[in-house]
Every structure is written in structure tokens, then in C-alpha cells.
Amino acid sequence: MVISIAAVSGGGKTTITKQLKERLNKSIVLSFDDYDFDGPKNIIDWVDKGANYNEWDLSPLIADLEKLFMEQYESILLDYPFAYEQSNMSKYIDIAIFIDTPLDVAMARRMSRDFQGSPSHTILQEMENYLSFGRKGYLEMLKTIKPSSDLIVDGTMSIEHIVETILEKVPTYKKEGV
């Protein structure tokens, strides 16, 4: 079973994916962030032009995913932001989960994670970038990825509760023939 986990930056996808790996037998994680894909160079320009997810060449990720099908994994967890929106990848996904984390909570988590020890002017500049244009990327995910997902989980719940919610629901989404 291929399980895709999406959220906005700071929304908890990596944390939840790691926790699911610990709970699921014979599972492995593939993370979008571990690859250097050919795709849009300017994300905000890409969003402004309509956010065509097929502009991303996900061939390296797909090749690794296909190799894993030859191994004895019961679950392949994708720490992956696009859910079903990239057509070359969507056919491999059995269930797409979106962790719905309020943007203020996600931003606070991201700032705490990425800017530990940074000078205040760096933090303020990042906040200004978010307000000026970066927020568009977050809103795009809420507009497109969230509604195309099979399961939406409240990102303000505890990690344990999110994981339990997903584990309760995942078996009901198993697709046949993939």
C-alpha cells in the first residue's frame, strides 16, 4: 500500500510519516525533499500561472518507488506534497492523506524548526517574504491538495492522535490492482 502524506510546510508531514513508519510493519519512507527534481524554478510564479503539478518531473522518485514494489514492504509512505495532483505519480498512490494544519500553527512550527539561533532580522525578513508572496504557496495547497486527498486529518491534534486516526482509516482505502 502506498500512503501519501501531505501538509503545508510546518504542517507535520515528516513527523507523522516517521511515526507511521514506526507503527506499520514492513514499511519504508520515500521523501520528496530527498530529491532534486526538474520543475518550476520560481514557486510563486508557478502558483500564479495556475500551479500545473505535471510541470514537475518526478521520474527519480517514481523509479525508486517502482524498485520498492519488488521488495517485501507492506507499506510505502510518501512524505510528498502533491497528493494525486501529479498524474505520473498519482496512479501509484493508494491513499492520499492531508494534515490540515492552520497556517499560523504551521508557520510557528516552521520558524521554530528552521530559524533556531537566527538573528531577529533574518526571522523578520522570512516573515515579510511569507506575507508578501510565500503565503500563496500555502493557500494553493489548501485549494488543490486538501480537497483532492482521501483523508483530511486535523493538524492541531497530538502526534499520537493523528497517527491513530490515520491507522484507523488507512485499511478502508486499499485500492485493488495497483
Side-chain angles (χ1 to χ4, degrees):
M1 176 178 262
V2 177
I3 304 166
S4 168
I5 308 291
V8 298
S9 180
K13 64 184 164 294
T14 301
T15 299
I16 297 304
T17 302
K18 287 177 182 176
Q19 291 296 311
L20 285 169
K21 182 185 182 309
E22 295 299 316
R23 297 284 305 277
L24 292 168
N25 292 327
K26 298 180 183 174
S27 63
I28 191 168
V29 172
L30 287 177
S31 179
F32 181 87
D33 290 343
D34 290 342
Y35 295 84
D36 186 20
F37 297 110
D38 287 331
K41 300 299 180 218
N42 183 317
I43 300 300
I44 302 311
D45 184 50
W46 173 74
V47 169
D48 287 342
K49 290 180 178 177
N52 179 356
Y53 292 87
N54 291 319
E55 289 181 33
W56 293 85
D57 177 8
L58 302 181
S59 300
L61 177 62
I62 291 170
D64 286 350
L65 180 62
E66 288 175 341
K67 287 176 193 171
L68 291 176
F69 289 149
M70 303 303 160
E71 299 183 27
Q72 298 299 311
Y73 293 106
E74 291 179 13
S75 301
I76 301 171
L77 302 163
L78 299 176
D79 180 343
Y80 170 71
F82 298 160
Y84 295 115
E85 295 303 311
Q86 207 281 351
S87 61
N88 293 326
M89 185 63 149
S90 66
K91 62 186 171 191
Y92 296 102
I93 298 171
D94 291 300
I95 179 172
I97 299 167
F98 185 81
I99 303 168
D100 189 16
T101 306
L103 297 186
D104 62 327
V105 172
M107 177 56 69
R109 288 179 184 167
R110 194 173 76 78
M111 297 303 289
S112 295
R113 176 191 73 205
D114 296 347
F115 292 90
Q116 285 288 325
S118 295
S120 60
H121 71 276
T122 302
I123 296 168
L124 292 172
Q125 181 180 1
E126 179 62 23
M127 297 305 291
E128 185 57 40
N129 289 340
Y130 172 80
L131 291 172
S132 297
F133 52 86
R135 188 169 185 267
K136 287 181 182 182
Y138 287 67
L139 294 174
E140 165 57 28
M141 289 193 76
L142 295 178
K143 180 181 95 178
T144 307
I145 304 304
K146 178 181 173 181
S148 73
S149 297
D150 297 307
L151 177 63
I152 299 168
V153 181
D154 180 355
T156 63
M157 295 187 302
S158 70
I159 293 168
E160 296 80 19
H161 194 174
I162 292 171
V163 169
E164 287 301 322
T165 299
I166 292 170
L167 291 174
E168 288 172 7
K169 303 287 185 182
V170 164
T172 64
Y173 284 95
K174 178 94 171 140
K175 287 197 292 193
E176 300 298 322
V178 175

